[in-house]
């Protein structure tokens, strides 16, 4: 087999900033996997909706960012992209391949909370990072996770010790403005027993010719912790976004996640919740809006391993122009997962007859003491509703926008944290008024 | 004041799915006038209301609709609304996730063609709500979602009060209301009626006409206006019923509209 030309070679690997030994070892191993693994083929079930056969892995492996002393030193445009989320317990900004600035409320640092550059954390807290990094998303999963493992720099490490409650949300913005570059956003969250935290990941860039975002999110939860995780993907056009997010829920964990997908030319995101111990509860909300020729491929998994867990998923998407979106979701109920309560709902509004949406729910139930359900719909905006709004003087396109906003409101209504709800609402408004 | 706005329906024929429902309607409603439109179920009253507002799915096969002297037959519904027409619907539609306030403010901006701050709009809305006895809770809810029949109709009238059209068609705004709600809605409409508003009031009942005195009453049957008169015509109908009128006019009883 011949290997196509790639910028991700041994030499590029050698040029990355030095890392602690365990990270260096991980890089080496992942690089070997990267060379060995094929670009996922559409012949496989997992990748059948996204064609990457023509993708040339010729991105700049490392693009320097501008580091800042503090937030005042950060560029206006970047701060704008971070959104006007009210109160924050911490904010980190990654510019291209490097973390530019990282801020955490000192009162929280005093309680043992760690919120920093993943590379810094790997040096300063290897005992916390090593057991968790790529534990949920192994580098060997696909060629892209291997690439991520080999070339990742920057990233976010968030650690909340047992019993600590972080009231205000923490946020990381990854800002990409180096055309032709690849970035590897990584969020590693480790939450202790009975702790509580809200974290927001944001990805943003101007429109670019071509760029790759190869992202991984790993969420480790301690028993009875309350974790809210939000991702807002607002990459500019030209960006290919491939993301894997996986959470492991311990006993009595309450995890609520929201995934917002607006940007990128092609976005393929896998979100997985593993209900590993009894009493855990996972809510997964999703909002996406595709226009132009955007291609979205969302895959979700609610994996019930332990008994007496609850999971509820609601993904709502709207499509315009010639965009394409596929939602496919799996609910797995393992043999031991008795008294499972799982629900999965996908709703799609298609605003143009050249746009196409598919919703493919899958249930795999291996015991019969469960309550499981799924619902999916794909359809246009009701003509009746449009007429009602138009009869009040609202032009058709604005009426459509209002209806779509209302359609997403159901998800907003389920976000309990006000700052988060407002942040998501603002992103939706920004997207709809483009 | 400038010349009153006038809605003119001239020789209007319209069909739905190839079936002719309106079979030659002539009607003129001027700003400041109240016209009651009555007639048995299925005679085409709502169809007329919808065609005037430009609802998709209806085909105008003959005749024109003029508003303020201009032909609006081919305009979009929103364009008609911005020119000063309004339709309170017999069956108001739910708009999930869109609050009444947000909906109304968007409509207000579109119709008035001017920006209004959230605060200023709240103030205006409060004023109109007080006029109609609408409470705060309702305007923060999503448009018509889970509304009772009475709330839906009150919401239509609130929209009328906020958008201030020159001609409004009220399609059975008095139907499905209990006695108290009817009184509230009817007095609300009565307060809005005046030199600046012309109304085409579609109704089955004499009751609402106790609150709003019509200048003209029209009776529609089988897609035509078969009789027009003053307010006494409504009383006459009440005692006579459509049966006798039909006999007088030599019309056959029919189920639905004719083909
Ligand atoms: N969208 C439609 N599709 C099919 N038929 C329709 C449609 N709209 C109206 N019709 C038919 O046209 C005729 C007139 O209906 P319309 O609703 O205009 O009557 P109406 O006078 O308003 O009756 P009511 O007093 O019951 O409200 C009926 O036979 C009805 O079935
Ligand atoms: Mg009717």
């Amino acid at each position: 087999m011949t290997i196509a030309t790639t910028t991700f070679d041994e030499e590029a690997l050698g040029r990355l900033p030095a890392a602690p030994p365990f990270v260096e070892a991980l890089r080496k191993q992942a690089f070997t996997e990267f060379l060995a693994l094929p670009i996922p083929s559409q012949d496989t079930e997992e990748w059948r909706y996204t064609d990457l056969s023509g993708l040339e892995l010729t991105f700049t492996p490392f693009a320097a960012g501008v580091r800042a002393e503090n937030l005042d030193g950060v560029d206006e445009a970047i701060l704008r992209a971070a959104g006007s989320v009210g109160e924050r317990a911490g904010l980190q900004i990654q510019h291209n391949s490097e973390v530019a600035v990282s801020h955490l409320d000192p009162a929280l640092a005093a309680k043992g909370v760690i919120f920093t550059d993943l590379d810094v954390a790997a040096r300063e807290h290897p005992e916390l990072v090593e057991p968790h990094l790529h534990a949920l998303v192994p580098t060997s999963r696909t060629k892209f996770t291997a690439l991520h493992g080999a070339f990742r720099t920057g990233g976010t490490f968030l650690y909340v010790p047992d019993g600590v409650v972080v009231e205000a949300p923490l946020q990381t913005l990854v800002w990409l403005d180096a055309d032709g570059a690849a970035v590897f956003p990584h969020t590693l969250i480790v939450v202790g027993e009975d702790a509580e935290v809200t974290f927001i990941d944001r990805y943003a860039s101007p429109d670019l010719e071509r760029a790759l975002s190869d992202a991984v999110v790993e969420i480790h939860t301690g028993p009875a912790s309350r974790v809210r995780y939000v991702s807002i993907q607002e990459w500019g056009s030209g960006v290919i976004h491939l993301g894997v997010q996986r959470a492991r829920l311990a006993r009595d964990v309450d995890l609520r996640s929201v995934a917002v997908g607006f940007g990128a030319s092609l976005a393929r995101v896998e979100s997985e919740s593993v209900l590993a111990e009894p009493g855990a509860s996972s809510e997964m909300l999703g909002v996406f809006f595709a226009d132009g020729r955007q291609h979205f491929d969302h895959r979700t998994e609610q994996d019930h391993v332990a008994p007496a867990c609850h999971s509820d998923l609601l993904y709502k998407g709207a499509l315009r122009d010639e965009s394409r979106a596929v939602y496919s979701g799996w609910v797995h109920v393992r043999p031991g997962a008795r008294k499972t309560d799982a629900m999965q709902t996908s709703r799609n509004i298609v605003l143009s007859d050249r746009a196409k949406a598919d919703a493919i729910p899958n249930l795999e139930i291996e015991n019969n003491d469960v309550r499981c359900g799924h619902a999916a719909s794909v359809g246009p905006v009701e003509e009746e509703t449009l007429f009602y709004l138009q009869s009040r003087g609202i032009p058709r396109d604005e009426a459509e926008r209002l209806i779509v906003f209302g359609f997403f409101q159901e998800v907003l209504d389920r976000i309990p944290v006000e700052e988060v709800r407002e942040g998501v609402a603002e992103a939706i408004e920004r997207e709809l008024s483009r | 004041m400038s010349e009153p706005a006038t809605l003119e329906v001239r020789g209007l024929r319209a069909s739905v799915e190839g079936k002719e429902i309106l079979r030659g309607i002539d009607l003129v409603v001027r700003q400041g006038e109240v016209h009651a439109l009555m007639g048995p179920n299925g005679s085409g009253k709502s169809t007329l209301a919808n065609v005037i507002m430009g609802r998709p799915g209806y085909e105008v096969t003959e005749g024109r609709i003029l508003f303020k002297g201009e032909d609006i037959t081919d305009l979009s519904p929103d364009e008609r609304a911005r020119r000063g027409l309004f339709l309170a619907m017999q069956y108001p539609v739910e708009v999930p996730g869109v609050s009444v306030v947000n909906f109304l403010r968007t409509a207000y901006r579109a119709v008035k063609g001017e920006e209004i701050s959230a605060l200023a709009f709240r103030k205006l809305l409060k004023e109109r709500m007080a006029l109609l006895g609408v409470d705060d809770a309702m305007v923060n809810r999503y448009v018509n979602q889970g509304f009772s029949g009475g709330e839906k109709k009150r919401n239509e009238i609130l929209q009328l009060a906020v958008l201030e059209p020159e001609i409004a068609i009220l399609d059975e705004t008095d139907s499905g209301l209990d006695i108290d709600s009817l009184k509230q809605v009817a007095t609300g409409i009565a307060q809005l009626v005046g030199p600046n508003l012309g109304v085409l009031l579609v109704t089955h009942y004499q009751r609402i006409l106790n609150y709003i005195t019509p200048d003209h009453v029209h009776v529609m049957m089988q897609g035509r206006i078969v009789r027009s008169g003053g307010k006494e015509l409504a009383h006459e109908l009440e005692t006579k019923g459509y049966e006798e009128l039909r006999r007088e006019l030599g019309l056959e009883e029919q189920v639905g509209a004719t083909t």
Side-chain angles (χ1 to χ4, degrees):
Chain A
M1 191 181 107
T2 53
I3 291 166
T5 353
T6 172
T7 44
F8 299 103
D9 53 21
E10 198 119 30
E11 208 189 310
L13 195 66
R15 278 199 304 266
L16 292 181
F22 82 89
V23 176
E24 291 286 1
L26 190 69
R27 280 179 180 172
K28 266 211 182 65
Q29 180 203 325
F31 185 67
T32 314
E33 291 159 354
F34 167 69
L35 294 179
L37 286 164
I39 284 192
S41 147
Q42 281 193 287
D43 295 338
T44 64
E45 161 51 38
E46 288 89 339
W47 291 81
R48 58 185 283 209
Y49 302 107
T50 296
D51 179 12
L52 290 178
S53 58
L55 179 68
E56 287 180 35
L57 289 172
T58 51
F59 299 90
T60 312
F62 181 91
V66 178
R67 287 177 189 270
E69 273 305 307
N70 51 44
L71 287 176
D72 297 335
V74 177
D75 197 78
E76 260 308 303
I78 302 181
L79 284 179
R80 245 197 325 277
S84 59
V85 179
E87 214 189 315
R88 268 183 276 217
L91 176 65
Q92 175 163 301
I93 291 171
Q94 174 167 339
H95 183 196
N96 300 328
S97 305
E98 296 181 286
V99 171
V101 66
S102 188
H103 169 80
L104 171 68
D105 178 355
L108 291 169
K111 288 183 185 169
V113 174
I114 302 167
F115 177 62
T116 187
D117 182 343
L118 180 53
D119 283 330
V120 171
R123 264 197 312 276
E124 295 178 358
H125 309 279
E127 75 292 352
L128 289 175
V129 175
E130 187 172 1
H132 295 115
L133 185 61
H134 282 291
L136 290 177
V137 181
T139 54
S140 59
R141 183 173 158 132
T142 68
K143 189 175 189 77
F144 296 108
T145 51
L147 180 65
H148 178 107
F151 285 90
R152 177 201 60 76
T153 59
T156 300
F157 180 66
L158 169 60
Y159 172 73
V160 185
D162 291 354
V164 173
V165 172
V166 182
E167 303 266 1
L170 297 142
Q171 178 178 295
T172 289
L173 167 72
V174 180
W175 173 259
L176 168 63
D177 59 6
D179 218 334
V183 286
F184 301 94
H186 194 118
T187 297
L188 180 59
I189 298 176
V190 180
V191 183
E193 180 163 358
D194 200 28
E196 183 173 318
V197 71
T198 298
F199 177 78
I200 303 167
D201 250 330
R202 270 185 120 108
Y203 310 105
S205 79
D207 289 342
L208 299 169
E209 275 302 313
R210 184 170 184 269
L212 175 69
S213 156
D214 181 356
V216 172
V217 177
E218 300 178 280
I219 303 172
H220 299 263
T221 61
S225 58
R226 279 92 50 206
V227 181
R228 304 179 198 97
Y229 174 80
V230 182
S231 63
I232 303 176
Q233 188 270 101
E234 297 175 296
W235 292 128
S237 69
V239 178
I240 293 175
H241 178 68
L242 304 172
V244 180
Q245 171 192 326
R246 190 169 169 89
R248 182 189 182 280
L249 283 72
R251 179 179 50 77
D252 296 334
V253 164
D254 183 20
L255 173 67
R256 291 159 179 258
S257 66
V258 186
V260 179
F262 291 149
S265 289
L266 183 159
R268 183 178 185 283
V269 181
E270 298 170 274
S271 306
E272 303 168 350
S273 269
V274 185
L275 298 113
E277 295 176 25
S281 173
S282 162
E283 179 185 60
M284 300 164 87
L285 302 176
V287 167
F288 63 87
F289 187 88
D291 58 10
R293 308 200 52 171
Q294 278 182 306
H295 174 104
F296 289 164
D297 179 350
H298 292 119
R299 295 173 62 84
T300 65
E301 185 181 26
Q302 296 148 267
D303 190 1
H304 286 260
V305 177
C309 291
H310 171 254
S311 71
D312 188 11
L313 177 145
L314 172 65
Y315 266 55
K316 298 193 100 172
L319 291 84
R320 196 162 63 184
D321 307 329
E322 293 165 64
S323 58
R324 173 92 176 92
V326 183
Y327 166 82
S328 47
W330 271 258
V331 174
H332 279 295
V333 182
R334 310 278 170 184
R338 294 172 320 279
K339 304 256 180 279
T340 286
D341 183 349
M343 183 66 200
Q344 184 196 73
T345 308
S346 159
R347 305 265 178 229
N348 301 273
I349 290 190
V350 182
L351 300 166
S352 134
D353 44 17
R354 288 163 301 146
K356 187 172 180 321
D358 285 299
I360 304 143
N362 302 275
L363 297 181
E364 215 176 290
I365 301 172
E366 298 176 77
N367 83 72
N368 45 32
D369 185 12
V370 301
R371 238 186 57 188
C372 282
H374 64 79
S377 63
V378 175
V381 171
E382 302 272 346
E383 271 302 323
E384 248 201 6
T385 319
L386 272 174
F387 171 65
Y388 189 58
L389 269 66
Q390 283 185 269
S391 78
R392 291 338 182 213
I394 304 170
R396 194 181 169 95
D397 54 345
E398 201 180 342
E400 224 171 62
R401 258 199 312 270
L402 199 58
I403 292 169
V404 171
F405 193 88
F407 172 71
F408 290 145
Q409 185 69 43
E410 184 190 353
V411 173
L412 290 176
D413 285 343
R414 284 176 61 172
I415 302 176
V417 182
E418 196 186 331
E419 287 89 353
V420 173
R421 192 171 55 245
E422 280 170 8
V424 174
E426 186 190 279
I428 293 174
E429 260 161 41
R430 189 151 59 183
E431 173 68 14
L432 291 185
S433 58
R434 262 177 4 125
Chain B
M1 192 181 130
S2 58
E3 202 172 309
T6 305
L7 171 69
E8 300 168 71
V9 178
R10 300 268 179 236
L12 188 69
R13 285 175 172 268
S15 347
V16 177
E17 289 162 10
K19 186 172 105 178
E20 183 163 71
I21 310 288
L22 300 182
R23 304 194 298 147
I25 304 274
D26 287 282
L27 183 67
V28 178
V29 181
R30 289 186 185 82
Q31 205 175 2
E33 297 175 347
V34 175
H35 292 243
L37 179 63
M38 307 182 82
N41 296 131
S43 55
K45 305 179 298 296
S46 294
T47 302
L48 176 62
N50 284 322
V51 170
I52 292 173
M53 205 64 221
R55 188 181 195 125
Y58 296 84
E59 193 196 348
V60 173
T61 51
E62 232 181 277
R64 308 312 290 171
I65 304 162
L66 308 178
F67 187 51
K68 299 180 185 174
E70 286 174 54
D71 190 335
I72 60 163
T73 322
D74 300 320
L75 295 184
S76 64
D78 51 296
E79 179 63 32
R80 296 177 202 216
R82 289 197 297 275
R83 289 183 183 210
L85 270 181
F86 181 90
L87 168 63
M89 296 190 192
Q90 184 173 1
Y91 306 108
V93 180
E94 290 185 9
V95 191
V98 178
S99 70
V100 173
V101 186
N102 188 9
F103 175 56
L104 271 175
R105 187 170 159 222
T106 310
Y108 183 90
R109 281 193 301 221
V111 165
K112 302 279 179 181
E114 63 187 57
E115 272 305 317
I116 182 164
S117 72
L119 204 68
F121 185 73
R122 274 272 176 189
K123 196 165 158 258
L124 177 130
L125 188 59
K126 281 261 186 219
E127 223 177 83
R128 306 299 145 93
M129 283 161 63
L131 189 76
L132 304 172
V134 170
D135 61 5
D136 265 350
M138 195 182 98
V139 299
N140 291 317
R141 285 164 68 188
Y142 298 141
V143 177
N144 294 322
Q145 229 183 1
F147 280 26
S148 72
E151 286 168 333
K152 282 186 185 169
K153 297 299 169 88
R154 234 172 293 157
N155 184 26
E156 294 291 289
I157 298 309
L158 178 63
Q159 295 175 39
L160 170 65
V162 169
L163 299 179
E164 301 176 312
E166 289 150 303
I167 302 285
I169 305 161
L170 310 182
D171 191 358
E172 295 199 28
T173 305
D174 57 340
S175 288
L177 299 180
D178 64 33
I179 300 162
D180 291 351
S181 300
L182 175 72
K183 188 173 171 189
Q184 205 176 27
V185 165
T187 46
I189 298 169
Q191 293 184 76
L192 300 172
V193 167
N196 293 325
L197 179 65
V199 175
L200 179 62
L201 189 74
V202 179
T203 183
H204 285 296
Y205 308 108
Q206 169 64 37
R207 278 182 316 186
I208 192 167
L209 303 179
N210 295 335
Y211 298 90
I212 306 150
T213 314
D215 303 295
H216 305 272
V217 175
H218 311 276
V219 181
M220 193 161 171
M221 284 183 177
Q222 299 164 22
R224 289 197 183 95
I225 291 176
V226 294
R227 176 71 73 82
S228 292
K231 63 171 185 279
E232 65 293 341
L233 179 54
H235 292 283
E236 193 188 322
L237 279 176
E238 191 94 331
T239 45
K240 262 193 205 165
Y242 292 120
E243 190 69 35
E244 199 176 320
L245 186 64
R246 232 178 240 124
R247 228 175 300 125
E248 276 179 32
L249 294 167
L251 291 167
E252 299 279 312
E253 177 158 15
Q254 282 168 332
V255 180
T258 47
T259 41

